[in-house]
Amino acid sequence: MTTMKAVRCLGFGHQHRLETGIAVPKPKPGEILVRVDASGVCAADRAMWDGSGPWSLPFPFTPGHEFTGTVVELGEGADERHGVKVGDRAVAELNITYGNDFFRQRGLYHLADSMDVIGATLDGGWAEYMIYPADAVIHKVPENLSNAAACYTEPLANAIHGVERADIGFEDVVIVSGAGPIGMGMLQAARLKTPRKLILVNPGAAKRRLALTLGADMAFHPDDPELKTALADLTGGRGADVFLEASGQTQAFTLGLELLRKAGRLVVFGVYKKPVAVDLNIFGEFKELDIRGGHLAPFTYRTALDLMSRGLIDGDACVTHTYPLEAFEEALERRPEPDEVQIKIILDPQM
């Protein structure tokens, strides 16, 4: 275990390379070396691959910000610092913050002005081994979780944060827009809030069928006229109480504005590739809407692991495809076949 293989991103726009003979890193004080058991492929990774991402990053680096690993070596003091031992499985939160940052002091560490990000400014999980930094927030993986489910922790934690932002109540009619990794996580987490009705909106029929098994009461194509009819019947024509937007599609955002009742709550968690033109009078003059952003996963990784461990959220159902590290290009380029469920794709460096 002196050298390893890893995918290196040398720049945006198809500039990823699989490299071998890379020295396995040695953990410094407080750091943890893990064998990567699985690492996810995210929409952000695809944006780096196709060159559409808005970020400025220090190249080269190893991508992969969704990961789970088995501890193989501990830097000095890391066992006491993180509460793990060799042989434990663990995940690390992707954002690393430091010092007296304004937002960090206020419990908003996910919004810190200055941070490192595993899989971007620090080497991530598209490798056989990786370092969990000394300042990372690290969580042990419950024994009854598969590596696939553990790898789903990061997107699920994001989804849970979005659901918490929505303040869902017992009488609410809730719409989840989008059935990707975060949308399907939102659906399952929102179900645990026991709203009156939970509706998924997504174009793909196969995902709509899966959503009905994961907790949705109803599922509609966004263009299906029955969506508005059903919503009117449920709410006396008022509209939905909560709209969780996880698709990143501009038309989904505008649909949410249309379907929400007056004083409804819209949580925006999708990442959009182009601006959305809307009539601002909808926000104020006509509906007095409550628009809330959602970003990353503060204080929700532990919740994600716990809910999956207790069988309340099915992480394995959301991991649909696995590839070896050598096939990372195929994983990045993969698109679902007609009527196929494709949600989370992961890389297994041990394959």
Side-chain angles (χ1 to χ4, degrees):
M1 190 189 72
T2 58
T3 63
M4 66 177 187
K5 58 189 176 185
V7 176
R8 302 289 285 167
C9 179
L10 311 179
F12 290 159
H14 297 84
Q15 296 189 60
H16 294 54
R17 303 288 184 270
L18 180 68
E19 298 183 4
T20 59
I22 299 173
V24 173
K26 186 76 174 175
K28 300 174 183 176
E31 294 181 343
I32 297 173
L33 176 69
V34 303
R35 182 194 70 231
V36 179
D37 297 321
S39 189
V41 177
C42 174
D45 297 311
R46 292 192 178 92
M48 295 177 193
W49 174 248
D50 65 25
S52 64
W55 314 282
S56 176
L57 297 174
F59 301 108
F61 63 88
T62 297
H65 60 268
E66 306 166 356
F67 46 79
T68 183
T70 299
V71 177
V72 295
E73 188 175 350
L74 295 161
E76 181 182 355
D79 51 349
E80 296 177 357
R81 185 182 185 102
H82 301 295
V84 298
K85 63 183 184 299
V86 171
D88 285 342
R89 291 186 301 151
V91 298
E93 299 192 17
L94 66 88
N95 56 313
I96 316 298
T97 60
Y98 311 95
N100 295 323
D101 180 273
F102 175 91
F103 293 101
R104 190 170 186 255
Q105 286 182 324
R106 288 156 178 80
L108 300 170
Y109 66 99
H110 62 306
L111 300 176
D113 288 322
S114 177
M115 70 172 73
D116 279 313
V117 179
I118 299 176
T121 67
L122 301 175
D123 288 337
W126 290 11
E128 291 182 281
Y129 296 89
M130 67 180 292
I131 290 288
Y132 288 177
D135 288 301
V137 181
I138 295 172
H139 307 277
K140 289 177 65 173
V141 173
E143 291 184 4
N144 66 336
L145 283 192
S146 67
N147 288 334
C151 188
Y152 183 59
T153 301
E154 193 273 341
L156 176 58
N158 276 260
I160 292 169
H161 177 49
V163 168
E164 289 183 336
R165 293 280 289 155
D167 292 329
I168 294 170
F170 297 130
E171 287 298 312
D172 285 342
V173 173
V174 177
I175 297 175
V176 176
S177 170
I182 291 180
M184 282 301 202
M186 282 182 167
L187 179 80
Q188 296 186 75
R191 176 79 277 163
L192 298 177
K193 297 288 186 178
T194 63
R196 183 159 62 93
K197 288 294 179 183
L198 181 58
I199 302 169
L200 178 82
V201 176
N202 188 78
K207 285 186 175 180
R208 294 200 302 271
R209 289 193 296 269
L210 176 61
L212 293 171
T213 73
L214 295 178
D217 297 303
M218 303 174 178
F220 297 95
H221 190 287
D223 296 330
D224 187 344
E226 288 299 315
L227 167 60
K228 295 177 183 178
T229 301
L231 187 60
D233 290 343
L234 285 169
T235 66
R238 290 185 304 275
D241 302 281
V242 174
F243 192 94
L244 294 160
E245 208 310 275
S247 73
Q249 301 297 316
T250 56
Q251 60 269 35
F253 178 84
T254 55
L255 179 64
L257 298 179
E258 180 182 354
L259 297 183
L260 278 170
R261 64 163 169 82
K262 296 175 184 178
R265 301 180 297 284
L266 192 156
V267 177
V268 182
F269 222 101
V271 178
Y272 301 85
K273 293 188 176 181
K274 58 183 179 180
V276 181
V278 297
D279 181 359
L280 293 178
N281 287 317
I282 298 173
F283 298 160
E285 178 68 15
F286 299 143
K287 287 193 173 182
E288 195 176 90
L289 294 178
D290 191 348
I291 311 297
R292 305 178 182 185
H295 178 61
L296 293 182
F299 306 107
T300 52
Y301 274 70
R302 187 183 304 277
T303 303
L305 288 163
D306 177 62
L307 292 176
M308 287 191 290
S309 177
R310 288 194 281 152
L312 297 173
I313 288 181
D314 189 343
D316 287 300
C318 296
V319 178
T320 54
H321 299 81
T322 303
Y323 288 85
L325 202 59
E326 290 83 356
F328 76 91
E329 292 188 27
E330 184 179 351
L332 283 164
E333 295 282 359
R334 193 185 197 285
R335 297 296 180 268
E337 298 294 330
D339 211 32
E340 178 191 25
V341 173
Q342 176 179 307
I343 301 176
K344 173 54 61 183
I345 295 173
I346 63 174
L347 301 175
D348 182 351
Q350 308 307 318
M351 286 179 69

